[in-house]
């Protein structure tokens, strides 16, 4: 139908009617439960309630509750998204570099080029793996704080000559809290006299039982600098991906998460986004956080211009009105009007939060001065 009553909309979202009325009021729409609102307004509300909208036919809105709006037949296998974590100096950067160089597609593209916060490698079997190269735990924590779940698994790097350290433990608890599986990469095995067995024992104390000790956590002994067993690590990742049965519907409006962003002098706001659902195309109108714009150009991690980006592919996008914050959601929308509405709505919400924070801050400042 072209319109839907507020009550019916609330029912479909399993939300309280009063909450929907309130959300409408905040958007400047006065409506009672029995009144009808148009499809565009309904779509906005649905998104604000954290659900997805599926337009079946022009003007016809079908409301999908997150997680079940794509039927099995829509879903296609997608590349796993992997975050590498571990204690400082245990070899995260070295491992990311080594894995980037193991990319068979990089050589076809004319070498390893510019670095963005995420990249995808093609392994010799033809399978693809996406690595998120966030500057350590801070970005991961920030993303989790915003409710963004980008990573499918964590590769926990533990240096064989140093063992389990504070940030190792922190990474374990992050992964556990996020509910993502861990693969342990015991690094620096090229060093003389190192004892990988000791690392496995130490991990036991943190409820990580590796396979060689009868547990379920895959462990691979590697050397990032000597490039030892990187193929085995990639194999472990693809095996874990198969177990997780990672799928997404590429055939819908794109949706995903901002990985990083910056203001480029010549190109304006630039954001690296990870597409998680659907396919992002140049020319699409997107809302990223509270910013919006038409995607003017897209570059992949090898600085090649791309016209389309499907699930699990990280791309740099140009054309946003401003710089969104890492961890924020982005979504491709139908037109500029909708983009503006969502952007204005999010900006307003952001301001409300800031005001609340300032008000709360005043109290504590006063306390401090007292
Ligand atoms: P990060 O802080 O976890 O990103 O660690 P880095 O990748 O910066 O590595 C810290 C130091 O360990 C550097 O001097 C690396 O060269 C060294 N390193 C990393 N991986 C290996 C390895 O497999 N073997 C050896 N011998 N040294 C390594
Ligand atoms: Mg590093």
């Amino acid at each position: 139908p072209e319109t839907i009553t507020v009550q019916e909309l609330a029912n479909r979202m399993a939300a309280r009617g009063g909450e929907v009325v309130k959300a409408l009021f905040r958007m400047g729409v006065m409506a009672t439960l029995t009144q009808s609102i148009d499809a565009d307004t309904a779509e906005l509300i649905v998104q604000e309630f954290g659900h997805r909208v599926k337009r079946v036919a022009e003007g016809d809105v079908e409301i999908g509750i997150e997680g079940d709006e794509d039927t099995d037949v829509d879903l296609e296998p997608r590349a796993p998204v992997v975050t590498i974590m571990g204690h400082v100096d245990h070899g995260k950067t070295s491992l990311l570099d080594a894995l980037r160089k193991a990319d068979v597609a990089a050589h076809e593209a004319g070498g390893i080029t510019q670095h963005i916060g995420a990249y995808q490698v093609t392994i010799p079997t033809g399978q693809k793996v996406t690595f998120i190269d966030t500057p350590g735990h801070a970005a991961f924590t920030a993303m989790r704080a915003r409710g963004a779940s980008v990573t499918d698994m964590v590769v926990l790097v533990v240096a064989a000559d140093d063992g389990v350290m504070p940030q190792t433990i922190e990474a374990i608890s992050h992964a556990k809290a996020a509910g993502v599986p861990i693969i342990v990469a015991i690094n620096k095995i090229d060093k003389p006299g190192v004892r990988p067995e000791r690392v496995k024992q130490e991990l036991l104390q943190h409820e990580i039982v590796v396979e060689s000790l009868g547990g379920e956590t895959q462990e691979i002994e590697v050397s990032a600098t000597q490039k030892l067993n990187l193929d085995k690590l990639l194999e472990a990742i693809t095996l874990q991906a198969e177990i997780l049965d990672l799928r997404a519907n590429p055939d819908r409006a794109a949706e995903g998460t901002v990985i990083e962003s910056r203001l480029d002098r010549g190109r304006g706001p630039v954001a690296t986004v990870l597409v998680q659902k659907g396919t992002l195309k140049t020319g699409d109108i997107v809302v990223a956080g509270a910013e919006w714009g038409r995607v003017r150009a897209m570059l992949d991690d090898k600085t090649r211009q791309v016209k389309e980006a499907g699930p699990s592919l990280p791309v740099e996008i140009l054309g946003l009105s401003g710089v969104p914050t890492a961890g924020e959601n982005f979504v491709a929308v139908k037109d500029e009007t909708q983009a503006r509405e969502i952007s204005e709505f999010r900006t307003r919400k952001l301001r409300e939060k800031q005001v609340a924070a300032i008000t709360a801050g005043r109290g504590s400042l006063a306390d401090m001065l007292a």
Side-chain angles (χ1 to χ4, degrees):
E2 290 284 356
T3 62
I4 184 168
T5 67
V6 174
Q7 184 62 64
E8 171 62 13
L9 181 65
N11 290 349
R12 287 209 219 165
M13 296 191 296
R16 296 229 305 276
E19 292 301 321
V20 178
V21 171
K22 264 191 232 161
L24 281 163
F25 181 76
R26 284 196 298 268
M27 282 170 55
V29 178
M30 312 294 168
T32 61
L33 287 178
T34 51
Q35 276 176 330
S36 292
I37 52 172
D38 62 85
D40 289 346
T41 310
E43 203 168 317
L44 265 177
I45 288 291
V46 169
Q47 278 169 349
E48 285 309 329
F49 274 72
H51 302 304
R52 321 287 172 209
V53 181
K54 208 171 190 173
R55 287 227 164 184
V56 178
E58 194 48 48
D60 200 7
V61 189
E62 188 185 288
I63 293 147
I65 302 301
E66 184 165 17
D68 66 6
E69 80 279 23
D70 287 321
T71 56
D72 259 7
V73 289
D74 297 328
L75 299 175
E76 289 176 23
R78 63 169 180 84
V81 179
V82 182
T83 305
I84 297 191
M85 298 179 88
H87 196 72
V88 65
D89 284 343
H90 280 200
K92 297 179 295 293
T93 302
S94 306
L95 193 58
L96 276 160
D97 283 348
L99 291 166
R100 189 184 285 117
K101 282 171 191 145
D103 181 6
V104 293
H107 304 288
E108 288 161 23
I112 323 297
T113 49
Q114 190 213 338
H115 162 91
I116 58 173
Y119 62 89
Q120 192 176 71
V121 302
T122 305
I123 68 176
T125 57
Q127 287 158 295
K128 291 176 162 62
V129 179
T130 300
F131 289 96
I132 304 270
D133 188 2
T134 56
H137 306 263
F140 189 82
T141 317
M143 281 189 206
R144 278 218 306 118
R146 287 196 188 80
S149 54
V150 286
T151 195
D152 297 309
M153 61 186 89
V154 164
V155 167
L156 181 67
V157 182
V158 190
D161 61 344
D162 204 23
V164 171
M165 295 302 279
Q167 285 170 283
T168 317
I169 299 165
E170 207 182 294
I172 293 170
S173 65
H174 279 319
K176 283 191 173 167
V180 296
I182 292 173
I183 294 172
V184 178
I186 302 175
N187 192 31
K188 308 197 186 184
I189 53 151
D190 60 290
K191 281 197 160 183
V194 294
R195 290 163 47 214
E197 293 309 317
R198 206 197 64 194
V199 174
K200 298 177 193 178
Q201 290 298 329
E202 288 173 353
L203 286 168
L204 277 178
Q205 290 162 26
H206 303 279
E207 279 131 47
I208 301 285
V209 189
V210 297
E211 282 183 340
S212 66
L213 295 181
E216 295 196 330
T217 303
Q218 298 190 80
E219 89 273 29
I220 316 290
E221 296 178 12
V222 300
S223 165
T225 49
Q226 298 305 307
K227 299 188 171 49
L228 292 174
N229 292 343
L230 298 183
D231 51 343
K232 285 193 183 146
L233 178 59
L234 288 165
E235 242 172 64
I237 290 168
T238 52
L239 178 64
Q240 184 64 65
E242 270 169 44
I243 294 166
L244 293 172
D245 191 27
L246 303 168
R247 288 167 190 275
N249 178 8
D251 190 24
R252 54 176 285 170
E255 207 182 303
T257 301
V258 176
I259 300 296
E260 61 178 9
S261 58
R262 65 179 196 280
L263 188 62
D264 185 285
R265 274 189 144 198
R267 302 185 297 167
V270 179
T272 301
V273 299
L274 176 73
V275 179
Q276 292 172 289
K277 281 178 178 178
T279 299
L280 185 63
K281 303 181 179 92
T282 48
D284 275 356
I285 296 163
V286 297
V287 183
E291 307 299 336
W292 71 278
R294 186 182 291 274
V295 179
R296 197 152 34 86
M298 281 199 289
L299 300 172
D300 69 5
D301 55 345
K302 295 163 189 80
T303 45
R304 293 178 297 199
Q305 288 249 10
V306 287
K307 292 252 173 290
E308 292 193 352
S312 296
L313 194 73
V315 282
E316 230 184 20
I317 61 170
L318 309 184
L320 288 174
S321 53
V323 182
T325 311
E328 283 182 314
N329 149 282
F330 87 88
V331 57
V333 295
K334 141 177 92 67
D335 57 28
E336 293 193 3
T337 312
Q338 197 190 11
R340 235 181 245 124
E341 277 172 347
I342 297 177
S343 158
E344 278 167 16
F345 188 64
R346 288 183 177 175
T347 306
R348 206 152 53 224
K349 277 212 318 204
L350 204 68
R351 248 184 240 133
E352 280 167 15
K353 259 191 217 154
Q354 284 165 347
V355 169
I358 290 168
T359 313
R362 249 185 230 138
S364 54
L365 186 64
D367 290 345
M368 271 161 53
L369 295 172

